[in-house]
Amino acid sequence: MTDELDFDILSAEDTTTRRDEVVTAVTDHAGQIARELAILQGGDYGQETFSTRKGKWTLKYEGGALQYLRYKGKSGGEIYVVSTKQPPEPGDLASAMRDYDEFVESYNEFVRSLDGVLDDVGTDFPAVETTETVVAERDRILGRIREVCDTICGELHRYDGTDYGTFRTTVSGTRWELKREEARASYLRVGGEGGIYLLSQYEAPSAPDVRELTDEFVGFVEAYNEHVEELEASLSQVSLDGRD
């Protein structure tokens, strides 16, 4: 029975070859538009839609490279002329390509519409005030706070006899925590977890925070002194001859 079937089967090779040639050419050409848009919009990722009389073209790019070019005619239906997934059906491609020139012209009009848009934008900006004085004063205050904290840490290191330790107290209802490594302050944190690091190994606090907390720091030092006085009072009650 199979021997009796004598039909000519036409090859689609010529059509698909031509389809691939057109897609490659469009990819190269629209890729130039993608690169220009990436430069214009100042980012590696984005998309833009351009309208023509017959429909709309949407171009998407990633890393400055064309990702897809989609055509949607007014009669409906979407055609991915360029895609990372699969090539378009030849008939759909042919329909879209009849409007491709207008797509390019729409893009060109978009670019031309931006000509001169920055011509009247002035660059005579106001003078920028320096933060040098504020930063210098902040650093001076923090330097003094660090000196005091290092002194406290030295005393605690001598008393505790350990390389690491933490002194915690409450000032006006706010928790203060001084952490030390040997005789040097690692950090001074105000407000517990998520609080403000008045001293840190990483970055300095803002000037307003320093202004707000410097007066409270006096209370922190006073709390430490009271702590030492309590230690001295407790030791003064110890008698080596067995009498209080």
Side-chain angles (χ1 to χ4, degrees):
M1 181 68 180
T2 0
D3 294 338
E4 298 176 4
L5 298 177
D6 187 15
F7 300 112
D8 290 333
I9 299 177
L10 298 179
S11 171
E13 181 178 356
D14 291 343
T15 303
T16 54
T17 298
R18 179 56 183 157
R19 186 267 316 274
D20 293 345
E21 290 173 352
V22 172
V23 170
T24 298
V26 173
T27 301
D28 291 342
H29 189 267
Q32 298 177 44
I33 296 177
R35 287 190 291 275
E36 294 296 331
L37 286 173
I39 294 171
L40 178 64
Q41 296 178 347
D44 289 338
Y45 304 89
Q47 71 176 39
E48 196 71 43
T49 298
F50 301 92
S51 297
T52 66
R53 290 175 298 173
K54 296 180 181 179
K56 292 183 178 180
W57 293 77
T58 300
L59 182 151
K60 182 179 180 181
Y61 58 89
E62 292 187 12
L66 178 65
Q67 286 298 295
Y68 68 68
L69 179 63
R70 184 180 65 215
Y71 174 68
K72 184 175 183 180
K74 290 185 176 179
S75 58
E78 292 183 340
I79 301 169
Y80 281 83
V81 177
V82 176
S83 170
T84 57
K85 297 180 179 179
Q86 63 183 34
E89 191 274 330
D92 289 342
L93 177 61
S95 298
M97 291 307 296
R98 295 187 187 100
D99 196 42
Y100 186 78
D101 285 353
E102 287 204 28
F103 155 64
V104 178
E105 181 56 29
S106 179
Y107 160 77
N108 287 337
E109 287 179 3
F110 168 70
V111 175
R112 283 193 292 267
S113 71
L114 299 175
D115 286 347
V117 70
L118 297 174
D119 288 353
D120 59 349
V121 176
T123 55
D124 187 15
F125 305 125
V128 177
E129 292 290 340
T130 178
T131 61
E132 181 179 0
T133 303
V134 176
V135 170
E137 183 62 11
R138 178 198 66 187
D139 291 347
R140 183 190 68 79
I141 294 171
L142 290 178
R144 180 57 184 144
I145 290 175
R146 176 166 287 281
E147 288 177 5
V148 174
C149 285
D150 284 347
T151 299
I152 292 175
C153 290
E155 295 299 325
L156 291 174
H157 179 236
R158 180 171 60 179
Y159 175 79
D160 293 338
T162 59
D163 289 340
Y164 302 93
T166 304
F167 173 69
R168 300 181 181 90
T169 190
T170 299
V171 180
S172 300
T174 302
R175 182 178 181 182
W176 287 63
E177 181 175 282
L178 174 63
K179 185 172 182 179
R180 65 175 177 82
E181 181 176 348
E182 295 183 347
R184 181 171 174 78
S186 296
Y187 68 71
L188 176 61
R189 185 174 65 200
V190 185
E193 292 291 337
I196 298 170
Y197 283 82
L198 197 52
L199 293 181
S200 168
Q201 297 175 336
Y202 301 103
E203 60 185 23
S206 68
D209 285 340
V210 173
R211 177 183 177 85
E212 179 182 349
L213 296 174
T214 296
D215 289 342
E216 298 295 330
F217 179 70
V218 175
F220 170 77
V221 177
E222 290 173 347
Y224 164 75
N225 289 336
E226 290 175 4
H227 171 68
V228 173
E229 290 174 0
E230 290 174 1
L231 292 176
E232 290 177 347
S234 63
L235 287 176
S236 66
Q237 299 174 10
V238 176
S239 172
L240 296 180
D241 59 6
R243 292 174 298 175
D244 291 337

